[in-house]
Amino acid sequence: VKGFALTYDLRRTSNVSVNANYTLQFADGTGSNSNSQRGLTNRGNLRTLFPLDFDERHRFNLVVDYRIPNNSRAPKILHNLGANLQTTLVSGRPYTATLTPTTFGGAGTEGAINGARKPSTIVLNGQVSKDISFGNGSRMNIYFRVSNILDRRNVRAVYSATGSAEDPGFLQSAIGQQQLAAQATATRPVESYLAAYSWRVLNPGFFTLPRRMFVGAVFSL
């Protein structure tokens, strides 16, 4: 693994602090795990380097935090109130493209191993919180947090024949057309087959989680 990292820290100035970092990485090897070369070594041990499954070429993180201190001139109700915004942008990880689409995958390698890339991902998270003091040195922190503010459907996995997370390309292939023709002569309607197939194709594991909201409190007694 070879890489370069650049970090910028702005200490709290006028109630604002900023942390930003960028990482450029090249993760290459002969296998991403212990089974990577299984079935490929009948002609000797392969020594060709290719991008590993976890290779993230570019990663950018930005954290902006705003806090109103207890001694601020702002209205007292705003004292110890803060807002935090976190942004992460990551270039797509590699995968091995295939030539022929199958029912839910692909067959036949196209190009190099891990020679294709998934789409980039962008995640924006935010939180608003406030500290409330009470009793003899006790404190309560109440917060409202939102994950994936933009509600983006970031792609985690794709179908290898199309590079899409929503369509493996099987129905458009010659074999898929034959399957549809066979369904037309069967007892089950083609519409039912297409509906069931689309339910299976849209795999929620291929995408990151949608927008989520959390409300909570943390006590320090």
mmCIF file of all heavy atoms in Angstrom, residues 181-205:
data_model
loop_
_atom_site.group_PDB
_atom_site.id
_atom_site.type_symbol
_atom_site.label_atom_id
_atom_site.label_comp_id
_atom_site.label_asym_id
_atom_site.label_seq_id
_atom_site.Cartn_x
_atom_site.Cartn_y
_atom_site.Cartn_z
ATOM 1 N N ALA A 181 -39.250 -16.063 -23.334
ATOM 2 C CA ALA A 181 -40.072 -16.809 -24.293
ATOM 3 C C ALA A 181 -40.608 -18.091 -23.663
ATOM 4 O O ALA A 181 -41.761 -18.481 -23.903
ATOM 5 C CB ALA A 181 -39.250 -17.122 -25.542
ATOM 6 N N ALA A 182 -39.780 -18.734 -22.838
ATOM 7 C CA ALA A 182 -40.228 -19.948 -22.158
ATOM 8 C C ALA A 182 -41.316 -19.632 -21.141
ATOM 9 O O ALA A 182 -42.265 -20.406 -20.961
ATOM 10 C CB ALA A 182 -39.044 -20.630 -21.487
ATOM 11 N N GLN A 183 -41.211 -18.487 -20.485
ATOM 12 C CA GLN A 183 -42.229 -18.094 -19.515
ATOM 13 C C GLN A 183 -43.561 -17.792 -20.198
ATOM 14 O O GLN A 183 -44.628 -17.985 -19.617
ATOM 15 C CB GLN A 183 -41.761 -16.862 -18.733
ATOM 16 C CG GLN A 183 -40.655 -17.137 -17.739
ATOM 17 C CD GLN A 183 -41.105 -18.035 -16.611
ATOM 18 O OE1 GLN A 183 -42.239 -17.963 -16.150
ATOM 19 N NE2 GLN A 183 -40.220 -18.894 -16.142
ATOM 20 N N ALA A 184 -43.481 -17.315 -21.439
ATOM 21 C CA ALA A 184 -44.711 -16.979 -22.159
ATOM 22 C C ALA A 184 -45.557 -18.208 -22.433
ATOM 23 O O ALA A 184 -46.790 -18.109 -22.565
ATOM 24 C CB ALA A 184 -44.365 -16.269 -23.463
ATOM 25 N N THR A 185 -44.921 -19.363 -22.527
ATOM 26 C CA THR A 185 -45.661 -20.610 -22.776
ATOM 27 C C THR A 185 -45.952 -21.377 -21.492
ATOM 28 O O THR A 185 -46.568 -22.440 -21.540
ATOM 29 C CB THR A 185 -44.853 -21.506 -23.727
ATOM 30 O OG1 THR A 185 -43.587 -21.819 -23.124
ATOM 31 C CG2 THR A 185 -44.611 -20.800 -25.059
ATOM 32 N N ALA A 186 -45.511 -20.868 -20.362
ATOM 33 C CA ALA A 186 -45.740 -21.536 -19.079
ATOM 34 C C ALA A 186 -47.064 -21.087 -18.476
ATOM 35 O O ALA A 186 -47.751 -20.205 -18.987
ATOM 36 C CB ALA A 186 -44.584 -21.245 -18.127
ATOM 37 N N THR A 187 -47.397 -21.702 -17.357
ATOM 38 C CA THR A 187 -48.675 -21.374 -16.708
ATOM 39 C C THR A 187 -48.609 -20.052 -15.953
ATOM 40 O O THR A 187 -49.628 -19.381 -15.799
ATOM 41 C CB THR A 187 -49.057 -22.491 -15.725
ATOM 42 O OG1 THR A 187 -47.990 -22.685 -14.786
ATOM 43 C CG2 THR A 187 -49.293 -23.799 -16.480
ATOM 44 N N ARG A 188 -47.421 -19.663 -15.507
ATOM 45 C CA ARG A 188 -47.299 -18.410 -14.765
ATOM 46 C C ARG A 188 -47.201 -17.243 -15.747
ATOM 47 O O ARG A 188 -46.401 -17.286 -16.685
ATOM 48 C CB ARG A 188 -46.074 -18.437 -13.860
ATOM 49 C CG ARG A 188 -45.938 -17.195 -12.999
ATOM 50 C CD ARG A 188 -44.839 -17.307 -11.964
ATOM 51 N NE ARG A 188 -43.531 -17.501 -12.571
ATOM 52 C CZ ARG A 188 -42.387 -17.416 -11.882
ATOM 53 N NH1 ARG A 188 -42.431 -17.171 -10.585
ATOM 54 N NH2 ARG A 188 -41.235 -17.620 -12.478
ATOM 55 N N PRO A 189 -47.948 -16.171 -15.561
ATOM 56 C CA PRO A 189 -47.871 -15.026 -16.474
ATOM 57 C C PRO A 189 -46.473 -14.405 -16.495
ATOM 58 O O PRO A 189 -45.767 -14.403 -15.475
ATOM 59 C CB PRO A 189 -48.904 -14.048 -15.906
ATOM 60 C CG PRO A 189 -49.803 -14.875 -15.060
ATOM 61 C CD PRO A 189 -48.962 -15.989 -14.522
ATOM 62 N N VAL A 190 -46.097 -13.866 -17.636
ATOM 63 C CA VAL A 190 -44.790 -13.210 -17.769
ATOM 64 C C VAL A 190 -44.694 -12.018 -16.827
ATOM 65 O O VAL A 190 -43.630 -11.736 -16.250
ATOM 66 C CB VAL A 190 -44.557 -12.774 -19.232
ATOM 67 C CG1 VAL A 190 -43.251 -11.993 -19.363
ATOM 68 C CG2 VAL A 190 -44.552 -13.971 -20.153
ATOM 69 N N GLU A 191 -45.803 -11.300 -16.637
ATOM 70 C CA GLU A 191 -45.795 -10.129 -15.748
ATOM 71 C C GLU A 191 -45.423 -10.523 -14.322
ATOM 72 O O GLU A 191 -44.700 -9.801 -13.626
ATOM 73 C CB GLU A 191 -47.166 -9.442 -15.765
ATOM 74 C CG GLU A 191 -47.525 -8.766 -17.077
ATOM 75 C CD GLU A 191 -47.954 -9.758 -18.136
ATOM 76 O OE1 GLU A 191 -48.182 -10.951 -17.778
ATOM 77 O OE2 GLU A 191 -48.063 -9.370 -19.315
ATOM 78 N N SER A 192 -45.907 -11.674 -13.869
ATOM 79 C CA SER A 192 -45.569 -12.136 -12.521
ATOM 80 C C SER A 192 -44.090 -12.482 -12.421
ATOM 81 O O SER A 192 -43.434 -12.188 -11.411
ATOM 82 C CB SER A 192 -46.416 -13.361 -12.161
ATOM 83 O OG SER A 192 -47.780 -13.047 -12.165
ATOM 84 N N TYR A 193 -43.556 -13.103 -13.473
ATOM 85 C CA TYR A 193 -42.129 -13.434 -13.481
ATOM 86 C C TYR A 193 -41.282 -12.173 -13.439
ATOM 87 O O TYR A 193 -40.317 -12.080 -12.666
ATOM 88 C CB TYR A 193 -41.803 -14.252 -14.725
ATOM 89 C CG TYR A 193 -40.316 -14.454 -14.953
ATOM 90 C CD1 TYR A 193 -39.620 -15.434 -14.250
ATOM 91 C CD2 TYR A 193 -39.622 -13.665 -15.856
ATOM 92 C CE1 TYR A 193 -38.267 -15.617 -14.451
ATOM 93 C CE2 TYR A 193 -38.266 -13.838 -16.058
ATOM 94 C CZ TYR A 193 -37.592 -14.818 -15.361
ATOM 95 O OH TYR A 193 -36.250 -14.986 -15.554
ATOM 96 N N LEU A 194 -41.640 -11.169 -14.234
ATOM 97 C CA LEU A 194 -40.867 -9.921 -14.273
ATOM 98 C C LEU A 194 -40.937 -9.187 -12.937
ATOM 99 O O LEU A 194 -39.947 -8.613 -12.485
ATOM 100 C CB LEU A 194 -41.379 -9.027 -15.396
ATOM 101 C CG LEU A 194 -41.137 -9.529 -16.823
ATOM 102 C CD1 LEU A 194 -41.803 -8.604 -17.837
ATOM 103 C CD2 LEU A 194 -39.645 -9.640 -17.114
ATOM 104 N N ALA A 195 -42.118 -9.197 -12.311
ATOM 105 C CA ALA A 195 -42.265 -8.537 -11.014
ATOM 106 C C ALA A 195 -41.398 -9.211 -9.958
ATOM 107 O O ALA A 195 -40.680 -8.550 -9.192
ATOM 108 C CB ALA A 195 -43.729 -8.524 -10.589
ATOM 109 N N ALA A 196 -41.450 -10.549 -9.902
ATOM 110 C CA ALA A 196 -40.640 -11.277 -8.918
ATOM 111 C C ALA A 196 -39.152 -11.090 -9.189
ATOM 112 O O ALA A 196 -38.356 -10.953 -8.252
ATOM 113 C CB ALA A 196 -41.008 -12.769 -8.955
ATOM 114 N N TYR A 197 -38.774 -11.057 -10.451
ATOM 115 C CA TYR A 197 -37.358 -10.873 -10.795
ATOM 116 C C TYR A 197 -36.869 -9.487 -10.373
ATOM 117 O O TYR A 197 -35.768 -9.342 -9.841
ATOM 118 C CB TYR A 197 -37.170 -11.062 -12.303
ATOM 119 C CG TYR A 197 -35.734 -10.971 -12.750
ATOM 120 C CD1 TYR A 197 -34.851 -12.031 -12.558
ATOM 121 C CD2 TYR A 197 -35.248 -9.820 -13.365
ATOM 122 C CE1 TYR A 197 -33.535 -11.954 -12.960
ATOM 123 C CE2 TYR A 197 -33.932 -9.727 -13.772
ATOM 124 C CZ TYR A 197 -33.083 -10.793 -13.566
ATOM 125 O OH TYR A 197 -31.773 -10.703 -13.961
ATOM 126 N N SER A 198 -37.694 -8.465 -10.600
ATOM 127 C CA SER A 198 -37.292 -7.107 -10.222
ATOM 128 C C SER A 198 -37.150 -6.969 -8.713
ATOM 129 O O SER A 198 -36.287 -6.239 -8.228
ATOM 130 C CB SER A 198 -38.308 -6.093 -10.755
ATOM 131 O OG SER A 198 -39.571 -6.274 -10.155
ATOM 132 N N TRP A 199 -38.000 -7.680 -7.946
ATOM 133 C CA TRP A 199 -37.875 -7.644 -6.484
ATOM 134 C C TRP A 199 -36.528 -8.215 -6.043
ATOM 135 O O TRP A 199 -35.900 -7.699 -5.123
ATOM 136 C CB TRP A 199 -38.997 -8.432 -5.836
ATOM 137 C CG TRP A 199 -40.372 -7.921 -6.135
ATOM 138 C CD1 TRP A 199 -40.714 -6.637 -6.512
ATOM 139 C CD2 TRP A 199 -41.587 -8.666 -6.099
ATOM 140 N NE1 TRP A 199 -42.062 -6.550 -6.709
ATOM 141 C CE2 TRP A 199 -42.637 -7.777 -6.465
ATOM 142 C CE3 TRP A 199 -41.898 -9.978 -5.794
ATOM 143 C CZ2 TRP A 199 -43.966 -8.169 -6.541
ATOM 144 C CZ3 TRP A 199 -43.231 -10.380 -5.858
ATOM 145 C CH2 TRP A 199 -44.251 -9.482 -6.228
ATOM 146 N N ARG A 200 -36.114 -9.284 -6.703
ATOM 147 C CA ARG A 200 -34.848 -9.936 -6.351
ATOM 148 C C ARG A 200 -33.648 -9.123 -6.808
ATOM 149 O O ARG A 200 -32.627 -9.076 -6.128
ATOM 150 C CB ARG A 200 -34.813 -11.336 -6.976
ATOM 151 C CG ARG A 200 -33.500 -12.077 -6.788
ATOM 152 C CD ARG A 200 -33.181 -12.326 -5.324
ATOM 153 N NE ARG A 200 -31.972 -13.091 -5.182
ATOM 154 C CZ ARG A 200 -30.741 -12.580 -5.265
ATOM 155 N NH1 ARG A 200 -30.595 -11.273 -5.453
ATOM 156 N NH2 ARG A 200 -29.677 -13.352 -5.125
ATOM 157 N N VAL A 201 -33.779 -8.457 -7.941
ATOM 158 C CA VAL A 201 -32.654 -7.692 -8.491
ATOM 159 C C VAL A 201 -32.340 -6.478 -7.631
ATOM 160 O O VAL A 201 -31.171 -6.139 -7.401
ATOM 161 C CB VAL A 201 -32.965 -7.267 -9.946
ATOM 162 C CG1 VAL A 201 -32.028 -6.153 -10.396
ATOM 163 C CG2 VAL A 201 -32.831 -8.461 -10.877
ATOM 164 N N LEU A 202 -33.370 -5.790 -7.126
ATOM 165 C CA LEU A 202 -33.146 -4.598 -6.306
ATOM 166 C C LEU A 202 -32.715 -5.014 -4.909
ATOM 167 O O LEU A 202 -33.520 -5.106 -3.985
ATOM 168 C CB LEU A 202 -34.412 -3.744 -6.268
ATOM 169 C CG LEU A 202 -34.781 -3.064 -7.589
ATOM 170 C CD1 LEU A 202 -36.077 -2.291 -7.445
ATOM 171 C CD2 LEU A 202 -33.661 -2.138 -8.047
ATOM 172 N N ASN A 203 -31.439 -5.268 -4.765
ATOM 173 C CA ASN A 203 -30.867 -5.758 -3.518
ATOM 174 C C ASN A 203 -30.531 -4.579 -2.609
ATOM 175 O O ASN A 203 -29.695 -3.738 -2.961
ATOM 176 C CB ASN A 203 -29.594 -6.558 -3.833
ATOM 177 C CG ASN A 203 -29.045 -7.279 -2.622
ATOM 178 O OD1 ASN A 203 -29.310 -6.904 -1.488
ATOM 179 N ND2 ASN A 203 -28.274 -8.319 -2.869
ATOM 180 N N PRO A 204 -31.178 -4.457 -1.435
ATOM 181 C CA PRO A 204 -30.878 -3.321 -0.555
ATOM 182 C C PRO A 204 -29.436 -3.312 -0.069
ATOM 183 O O PRO A 204 -28.912 -2.257 0.307
ATOM 184 C CB PRO A 204 -31.868 -3.493 0.599
ATOM 185 C CG PRO A 204 -32.239 -4.942 0.584
ATOM 186 C CD PRO A 204 -32.197 -5.353 -0.858
ATOM 187 N N GLY A 205 -28.779 -4.471 -0.067
ATOM 188 C CA GLY A 205 -27.386 -4.513 0.356
ATOM 189 C C GLY A 205 -26.433 -3.851 -0.614
ATOM 190 O O GLY A 205 -25.257 -3.644 -0.295
#
